[in-house]
Amino acid sequence: MSLSILPVTGIGDVTAGDDLAELITKAAPWLADGDVLVVTSKIVSKAEGRLVEVPADGPEREEARQQVLAGETARVVARRGPTTIVQTHHGFVMAAAGIDASNVDKTHLVLLPADPDASARALRDDLAERGLDVAVIISDTMGRAWRNGLTDVALGAAGIGALRDHRGEFDPYGNELTLTQMAVIDELAAAAELVKGKSDKVPVAVVRGYSWAGAGSGARELVRDTASDMFSLGTAEARAQGLRDAAHLDSWSAPDIGESRVLRLTPAGPSPADLIRLGEEAHRVRLLLAADGLSSKISFDDDGVTIEVTE
């Protein structure tokens, strides 16, 4: 297989309501049947009006950004300093929910397309009306677990299978492949980024020479569900969740430590069983405090236990 990756230049700034198919075919009259069109999600979002107005600078801008982030977040995966990794409502795990402040004026933030697969299908249909049979990939940039650096991946796709499934095939040594499924639309998105760049104003590229027969079900096929995700939380978040789970193994309800940050616990009675339950409750309280990143100290006297937050 021989592939060519061709930049589509001259598209210019995209605004809400723009016809992407029209812009692309004017900029790339050489687009041909069988090509794979890779379109940066940002121009899709701009054309679909997925922009949010925010203050240009100051603390108000950051406050507004955090509010937007909360609205785009299905769950928080990890936080480290100013960086927040979240799962979006699409199911993508990304820094800051893919919200972008680059290549847009300072008074706006760009959100991801609401439904990237639907956006890809709509663009493919629009191009088909112009007589072109091409596959479409909507791409964006993501970080990768365990590796430094960023790469482009597919958020949406139409006309092309997301995965190339090698299961059931045999390698040259006669070994059956039982797990291998290649995320070809991610590979094509990453390849296209090589000619698009991040500051060259080239939001579209064409991959020519890849055989993509088959409609596919979209990029959503690549989203791993939480139940099968072995790394669905960051290290600190997983530890905190484990502590919370350990503290709530039964129907026990945590007492409120209050603003004084001091909690006094006393046994229900004088029996050894009552004293054991008191110790268990004190341990659970400290587990919950640790899950929230708070240190505590414990002291005992004849009447009960005192737990004090120390940090």
Side-chain angles (χ1 to χ4, degrees):
M1 181 189 300
S2 177
L3 300 180
S4 300
I5 308 170
L6 310 170
V8 177
T9 59
I11 288 179
D13 289 333
V14 174
T15 58
D18 280 351
D19 185 337
L20 289 183
E22 180 71 14
L23 294 175
I24 291 168
T25 51
K26 281 186 176 180
W30 42 264
L31 192 63
D33 289 352
D35 285 342
V36 179
L37 187 70
V38 183
V39 183
T40 302
S41 67
K42 184 167 296 177
I43 67 167
V44 176
S45 294
K46 287 182 175 181
E48 294 177 350
R50 292 278 291 165
L51 280 77
V52 177
E53 190 170 354
V54 295
D57 51 35
E60 296 82 6
R61 176 182 175 83
E62 178 58 22
E63 181 180 347
R65 192 186 75 85
Q66 290 298 328
Q67 291 176 352
V68 174
L69 174 57
E72 295 297 301
T73 296
R75 68 181 182 93
V76 174
V77 175
R79 285 193 178 97
R80 298 293 183 276
T83 302
T84 303
I85 308 296
V86 306
Q87 185 174 43
T88 70
H89 298 294
H90 318 79
F92 308 135
V93 176
M94 308 177 72
I99 299 166
D100 203 341
S102 64
N103 293 303
V104 67
D105 69 82
K106 292 184 179 296
T107 62
H108 288 89
L109 298 173
V110 184
L111 310 182
L112 295 180
D115 186 341
D117 281 333
S119 299
R121 290 192 298 270
L123 179 54
R124 184 169 189 262
D125 290 344
D126 288 346
L127 291 167
E129 290 179 0
R130 290 166 169 80
L132 289 167
D133 184 16
V134 299
V136 174
I137 294 173
I138 308 296
S139 68
D140 202 357
T141 303
M142 284 190 188
R144 301 162 297 161
W146 309 297
R147 297 182 70 83
N148 291 321
L150 306 172
T151 188
D152 272 22
V153 300
L155 300 187
I160 183 171
L163 293 165
R164 183 177 178 185
D165 194 347
H166 294 278
R167 292 175 298 178
E169 299 177 7
F170 292 85
D171 69 17
Y173 294 91
N175 301 303
E176 183 177 358
L177 304 178
T178 59
L179 298 174
T180 306
Q181 294 176 289
M182 301 304 297
V184 292
I185 58 173
D186 279 350
E187 293 177 313
L188 292 167
E193 198 279 330
L194 294 172
V195 301
K196 289 192 294 180
K198 295 303 175 193
S199 57
D200 298 330
K201 292 188 175 181
V202 181
V204 179
V206 171
V207 180
R208 180 165 289 171
Y210 181 79
S211 177
W212 47 266
S217 57
R220 181 166 291 277
E221 187 177 354
L222 299 184
V223 175
R224 190 186 299 275
D225 64 88
T226 304
S228 63
D229 187 354
M230 297 172 66
F231 306 97
S232 62
L233 290 172
T235 304
E237 289 72 20
R239 177 180 180 274
Q241 186 60 50
L243 292 172
R244 292 189 185 96
D245 290 346
H248 291 100
L249 289 176
D250 52 31
S251 58
W252 176 78
S253 297
D256 184 7
I257 200 163
E259 294 183 2
S260 67
R261 297 164 71 87
V262 176
L263 180 66
R264 179 69 177 169
L265 300 175
T266 56
S271 72
D274 292 326
L275 296 177
I276 290 172
R277 280 192 290 271
L278 173 65
E280 180 185 73
E281 183 174 9
H283 179 63
R284 289 184 172 189
V285 169
R286 298 191 74 197
L287 282 177
L288 291 175
L289 291 171
D292 290 332
L294 299 174
S295 300
S296 63
K297 66 179 182 179
I298 187 169
S299 58
F300 301 87
D301 56 47
D302 292 341
D303 297 321
V305 173
T306 300
I307 299 172
E308 181 180 356
V309 176
T310 58
E311 186 274 324

